[in-house]
Amino acid sequence: MTTNPTPMIVTFGEMLIDFVPDVAGVSLAESRGFIKAPGGAPANVACAITKLGGKSAFIGKVGDDEFGHMLVDILKKNGVNSEGVCYDPHARTALAFVTLKKNGEREFMFYRNPSADMLLKESELNMGLLKQAKVFHYGSISLISEPCRSAHLTAMKAAREAGILLSYDPNVRLPLWPSSDAARDGIKSIWKDADFIKVSDDEVAFLTEGDPEKEDVGFRGRVPGFSVKAVDTTGAGDAFVGSFLVSVAKDTSIFDKEEKLREALAFANACGAICTTQKGAIPALPSTSDALALVKSKAN
């Protein structure tokens, strides 16, 4: 009896080092020490997928430096295919200093001038790997500057032509864009190409300049979340997306079956919630059993 191979999800974009204050609720200036954590939304999503028993690959570029090699090692340790990662001999791996405010929300300060992830060229895309995907997932940070923007658009086009589903998480990071208008225009420039898009209420408000609670601006249904003691919201959206993509890759018909879609979203909500209960993104990613336990506890 032949079993279907686990479908592959390929993520594309930035992987970087997050420096997080070792004490919550302080500004960057006040912080006396920082914890070094792997970050970058598309890479977090790739790790979230494997943690849940899915199959993923990451395509992007890091510096040929200690941090770049460390990040690729982390991908490998998490079972993510890293054949699509290139090293830049001249540019450094990107760094982000992330402050956690008292409520667990974040503020960012980036070091990318330019960083290796921004310099991925079309010619460096691993098209063979990309075309093995059932789902191709990306953000918007890779749209900010050339040559990465062209590489991103080429990868999207190739995926679309190969019949691969396109997943988009804009992850609005205003400090990285030249202006708010540039961010809005850049993020919306590929809006219609995606099969599904994940956005937060804040992002809906920013992108539409409307009220995210109004039906015509945003969603058409709700699945409740889970109440947990949040320590650090970094990576929560990526845990949610990774979980949802695992469900989609396994069964693309969930978009036509509301009950299945609600189940997948409840599980994804549980994954996002668990991720907030620990510092850092990748170390806090939940396993399937963790998420199922939370869903079950809520149901009882």
Side-chain angles (χ1 to χ4, degrees):
M1 186 179 131
T2 58
T3 53
N4 287 339
T6 307
M8 166 97 86
I9 301 157
V10 173
T11 74
F12 173 91
E14 69 284 353
M15 188 172 195
L16 47 98
I17 305 279
D18 284 335
F19 285 94
V20 186
D22 54 4
V23 180
V26 296
S27 70
L28 290 178
E30 290 162 346
S31 177
R32 304 183 87 164
F34 293 90
I35 295 162
K36 182 180 72 193
N44 293 344
V45 170
C47 292
I49 290 161
T50 56
K51 192 86 188 269
L52 294 167
K55 188 176 172 188
S56 70
F58 174 72
I59 293 177
K61 198 174 199 182
V62 293
D64 189 3
D65 52 35
E66 292 251 339
F67 286 155
H69 289 278
M70 177 193 119
L71 291 175
V72 173
D73 282 345
I74 286 165
L75 288 176
K76 288 177 179 168
K77 281 197 183 94
N78 281 275
V80 176
N81 179 319
S82 61
E83 290 164 24
V85 181
C86 305
Y87 293 96
D88 193 294
H90 308 297
R92 293 279 187 223
T93 301
L95 309 178
F97 285 82
V98 187
T99 61
L100 304 176
K101 293 186 286 192
K102 288 266 191 291
N103 61 359
E105 279 304 318
R106 297 160 298 163
E107 282 172 342
F108 293 90
M109 186 164 81
F110 294 94
Y111 284 73
R112 303 169 86 231
N113 56 338
S115 54
D117 59 287
M118 300 158 73
L119 302 175
L120 181 72
K121 299 193 285 279
E122 274 181 70
S123 59
E124 293 171 318
L125 288 170
N126 186 332
M127 286 300 193
L129 181 62
L130 173 61
K131 286 177 181 168
Q132 291 173 40
K134 181 86 171 268
V135 181
F136 180 54
H137 174 77
Y138 45 85
S140 70
I141 289 172
S142 40
L143 293 172
I144 296 172
S145 55
E146 292 293 358
C148 189
R149 184 173 194 275
S150 291
H152 181 143
L153 297 176
T154 299
M156 269 174 57
K157 187 168 178 284
R160 167 62 74 225
E161 285 168 0
I164 296 162
L165 288 172
L166 300 186
S167 162
Y168 183 25
D169 180 356
N171 255 320
V172 177
R173 298 284 180 264
L174 285 180
L176 294 178
W177 292 85
S179 67
S180 290
D181 285 343
R184 203 175 281 112
D185 294 346
I187 288 165
K188 286 163 86 172
S189 69
I190 60 166
W191 198 257
K192 289 188 168 64
D193 298 295
D195 291 291
F196 35 92
I197 299 171
K198 172 247 159 194
V199 274
S200 66
D201 276 357
D202 291 347
E203 288 167 339
V204 171
F206 169 72
L207 292 167
T208 63
E209 298 175 87
D211 178 356
E213 291 296 320
K214 291 222 171 79
E215 288 286 323
D216 58 339
V217 167
F219 44 71
R220 286 286 184 279
R222 271 179 194 263
V223 176
F226 296 87
S227 181
V228 292
K229 188 173 174 3
V231 174
D232 174 11
T233 58
T234 311
D238 304 325
F240 171 89
V241 170
S243 167
F244 184 62
L245 294 184
V246 168
S247 298
V248 170
K250 272 189 201 149
D251 181 9
T252 53
S253 75
I254 66 170
F255 292 112
D256 307 314
K257 297 172 184 160
E258 188 181 342
E259 198 44 49
K260 277 190 165 180
L261 184 58
R262 283 184 172 278
E263 222 174 88
L265 288 167
F267 184 74
N269 281 344
C271 289
I274 291 166
C275 191
T276 68
T277 60
Q278 210 181 314
K279 272 196 184 154
I282 293 172
L285 292 169
S287 65
T288 304
S289 55
D290 296 337
L292 286 175
L294 182 57
V295 171
K296 210 170 165 192
S297 72
K298 187 80 177 244
N300 291 341

